[in-house]
Amino acid sequence: MTTTMILTTCMIVCFFALMVGIGIRSRKHATDVNGFVLGSRSVGPWLSAFAFGTSYFSAVIFVGYAGQFGWNFGLSSTWIGLGNAFIGSLLAWSVLGRRTRIMTQHLGSKTMPDFFGNRFQSKGLKIAASVITFVFLIPYTASLFNGLSRLFSMAYTGIDYSVCVILMSVLTGIYVLIGGYMATAINDFIQGLIMLVGIVAVILAVLNDNGGLLAATKSLAANSGDAGWQGAYSSFLGPNPTFLLFVVLLTSLGTWGLPQMVGKFYAIKNEDSIKKGTVISTLFAIVVAGGCYFLGGFGRLYDIDVAAEGFDAVIPKMLSTLSPVLIGVVIVLVLSASMSTLSSLVLTSGSTVTLDLIAPLTKKEMTEKRKMLIMRLLIVVFIVISAIIAIKQAKSRSLFIAQMMGVSWGALAGAFLAPFLYGLYSKKTTKAAVVVSFIYGVGLEIIQLMVSLQYITLKPDTFLSFVFTNSLYSGVFAMVGGLIIVPIVSLLTRKTLPKDVDGMFECYNDTKTVGITDSLGE
């Protein structure tokens, strides 16, 4: 075994042992559905903020997006990370945090589909939302493994990538099944610390290899590349500001409609925790997301044939010259990012399908014990299916799987973002508007899938061809279009307003009174 393999193996063994140990210690919090899914709504600001951040940023961002957009935009790709921090974290916590926590507790909702069912008094909406979640979260979950293959081969030459996928799946499953949300939150906190330290160490090492920040930036400025003009990749907005804006919007605003992200607000302890969590989550995103895209911006300093090797080769190539210790740190960093997101996704999938799809369709009332059993079984099923898809994709390079992974984020955010946001803020949002948003968001991404697979051909240089240029563009149109469609449809369909909306919104007006314990003297 090489030095890199030995050091990496030792780090991974220690990392996995810690994760499983936390899962075992957290089992006391997972004795009922509320504890297993939401940590009994008693999770503090640090755990909640790190759980949000680590679920947000995975191997997809560190390897895939950082490599692709760093190569295409240069240093201006850092704007994507900053957009993630200020729109995807700061604004999301500020706009959604308090209202989500209060409204979901008032309605007794444990998942996003459960919220739609209770808020709009519709069993059909609840089931439809759970089906959308089920269909699109699986390929999204499978995409987490994609970034691991090349990095894994750096440390373990000759060992099949599927070994890493299976090992990661089994160990993630163990601590989620035993400890539920609380185990996930605690592990996310530790994994988040690893990500913070790791990304800073890697950035410093890469800059040092290129003569420091000024020398690296100067070398990048001399590269005209595909842009055709010198300085494009070190400029303020890069060679393609329009495309950059769409990437910022999709990767930042999209989190507002993702079930596994919004679910973190359900579980947070109180309003004070929301305020603290907002600051912590934003700072975490600045370092991790900003750092990832900043690092990717220097990709063109390395000899990489992206046409032959793909964008996933950019980051591994940059890291291949690092010391064995740093390569081990990077492997653990990416494992941390992937496992934290994986645990959040499978917990969301398992709880959603159990509580929002199976339970409503069951004639007899399901006991807590039976719900817990079905949730755990489904978590295993989701992990197995996602691992199989990831391994198949890595070996066969299936175009359908790749494109399905690409449209997942846009479909979920496009369907859910607008009705969830308006449902928290507006009494006038109707059931019909939610239905239209579901159809519009999912429908747009299904068309995108057909276009990407070349089942549908669009005329060039038209508005439709621009919308369906790729899933990033159509995803933004799905989200922004939903924000416009929902209020318009609500205005035209007043008859489908749910009953007792005023009672639902009374929860925001509740006040707490305390007695005076000590009077003030003159």
Side-chain angles (χ1 to χ4, degrees), residues 250 258 406-415 441-442 445 471 474-476 478-479:
L250 181 66
L258 298 181
V407 303
S408 295
W409 181 298
L412 289 165
V442 172
E445 290 309 303
S471 58
S474 60
V476 172
M479 291 186 299

Side-chain angles (χ1 to χ4, degrees), residues 38 110 118 151 167 189 220 248 277 294 314 340 380 383 507 510:
L38 298 175
K110 296 181 176 65
N118 294 335
L151 289 176
L167 188 63
F189 179 72
L220 192 64
V248 170
F294 176 74
V314 175
S340 57
V380 172
I383 290 176
C507 61
D510 287 347

Side-chain angles (χ1 to χ4, degrees), residues 154-184:
M154 284 170 52
Y156 295 96
T157 307
I159 298 179
D160 195 86
Y161 157 65
S162 59
V163 174
C164 176
V165 172
I166 293 169
L167 188 63
M168 175 179 158
S169 300
V170 169
L171 290 166
T172 303
I174 289 173
Y175 77 73
V176 174
L177 290 170
I178 295 173
Y181 185 86
M182 189 59 76
T184 300

